[in-house]
């Protein structure tokens, strides 16, 4: 297993649209293991392949509460049902140090493949639903900051630059 480098905005690779996965062989298995290791190390509750420079529709997530691990993999994901949106606070490992409020659906129904290529569906709410929408966005080349008004986004990125400068 290996830690992968997480790309930061404005790296253009974060804007690529990920390709559909069709090969579930060893390379994919290794990528998924490395993504889990990288996500837990960060630490984060989700990580999309786009964030480690791999343009494939793969994301790993773990929204388990207290120490209890709940690893999940979604490949070629589709969100097939949603309900009302709510406003929630969100951050991203590719936009470190800052967070802001965005609109996300409270519940989603996911259709995806697992790491062996078997299809599954999952009804999610709370943080997991938010994470599914966030990672799906990454696979489409989108970041949560795209959902902010340009004024809010500029302020957020300015605040981020300031924080990063202070850290040195
Ligand atoms: O670790 C993460 N936390 C988080 C919090 C609210 C909504 C989404 C997330 S995902 C983020 C990790 C990440 O950047 N995944 O792409
Ligand atoms: Ni992210």
């Amino acid at each position: 297993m290996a830690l992968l480098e997480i790309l930061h905005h404005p790296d253009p690779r974060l804007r690529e649209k990920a390709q559909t996965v069709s090969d579930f062989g060893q390379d994919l298995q290794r990528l998924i293991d490395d993504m889990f290791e990288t996500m837990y190390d960060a630490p984060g509750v989700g990580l999309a392949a786009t964030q480690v420079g791999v343009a494939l529709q793969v994301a790993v997530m773990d929204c388990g509460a207290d120490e209890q691990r709940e690893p999940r993999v979604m490949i070629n994901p589709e969100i097939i049902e949603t309900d009302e949106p709510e406003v929630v606070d969100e951050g991203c490992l590719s936009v470190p140090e800052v967070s802001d409020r965005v609109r996300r659906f409270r519940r989603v129904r996911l259709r995806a493949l697992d790491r062996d290529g078997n299809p599954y569906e999952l009804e999610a709410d709370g943080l997991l639903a938010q994470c599914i929408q966030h990672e799906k966005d990454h696979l489409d080349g989108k970041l949560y900051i795209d959902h902010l008004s340009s004024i809010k986004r500029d302020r957020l990125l300015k605040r981020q630059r300031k924080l990063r400068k202070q850290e040195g």
Side-chain angles (χ1 to χ4, degrees):
M1 298 235 279
L3 285 180
L4 306 171
E5 188 198 341
I6 299 176
L7 306 178
H8 289 169
H9 172 75
D11 192 304
R13 286 170 289 178
L14 289 169
R15 298 309 187 172
E16 280 176 31
K17 274 193 71 116
Q19 303 293 308
T20 303
V21 173
S22 53
D23 182 347
F24 292 81
Q26 269 213 338
D27 289 354
L28 180 72
Q29 302 309 320
R30 189 170 306 121
L31 172 67
I32 290 168
D33 289 340
D34 289 347
M35 285 173 60
F36 270 120
E37 193 182 357
T38 304
M39 178 186 80
Y40 287 126
D41 178 75
V45 295
L47 186 71
T50 316
Q51 292 177 277
V52 295
V54 177
L56 284 175
Q57 287 186 43
V58 182
V60 298
M61 300 177 286
D62 192 330
C63 294
D66 7 84
E67 313 295 280
Q68 202 74 9
R69 279 200 176 180
E70 227 171 88
R72 293 177 191 277
V73 177
M74 63 176 194
I75 295 174
N76 305 343
E78 294 171 78
I79 293 171
I80 55 174
E81 272 176 47
T82 58
D83 70 350
E84 332 86 67
E86 59 178 359
V87 176
V88 283
D89 202 55
E90 196 154 312
C92 180
L93 295 170
S94 294
V95 190
E97 316 281 353
V98 290
S99 67
D100 211 334
R101 290 151 66 81
V102 293
R103 273 157 61 98
R104 293 292 190 193
F105 297 108
R106 200 177 55 83
R107 299 175 74 89
V108 298
R109 187 161 187 85
L110 170 72
R111 180 183 290 158
L113 304 178
D114 68 16
R115 62 187 296 163
D116 301 312
N118 301 312
Y120 69 91
E121 287 189 15
L122 174 70
E123 176 106 12
D125 60 12
L127 182 60
L128 181 58
Q130 194 184 348
C131 198
I132 288 169
Q133 294 168 79
H134 179 106
E135 304 312 333
K136 170 76 173 135
D137 268 1
H138 275 303
L139 301 179
D140 293 332
K142 280 188 239 151
L143 298 171
Y144 81 90
I145 56 174
D146 304 345
H147 296 292
L148 303 172
S149 68
S150 61
I151 290 178
K152 280 197 170 176
R153 184 167 54 246
D154 289 351
R155 275 200 208 127
L156 184 85
L157 293 173
K158 215 175 211 173
R159 193 155 76 238
Q160 191 207 21
R161 275 197 293 278
K162 207 167 146 191
L163 285 167
R164 307 208 89 191
K165 220 180 258 172
Q166 281 172 6
E167 288 209 342

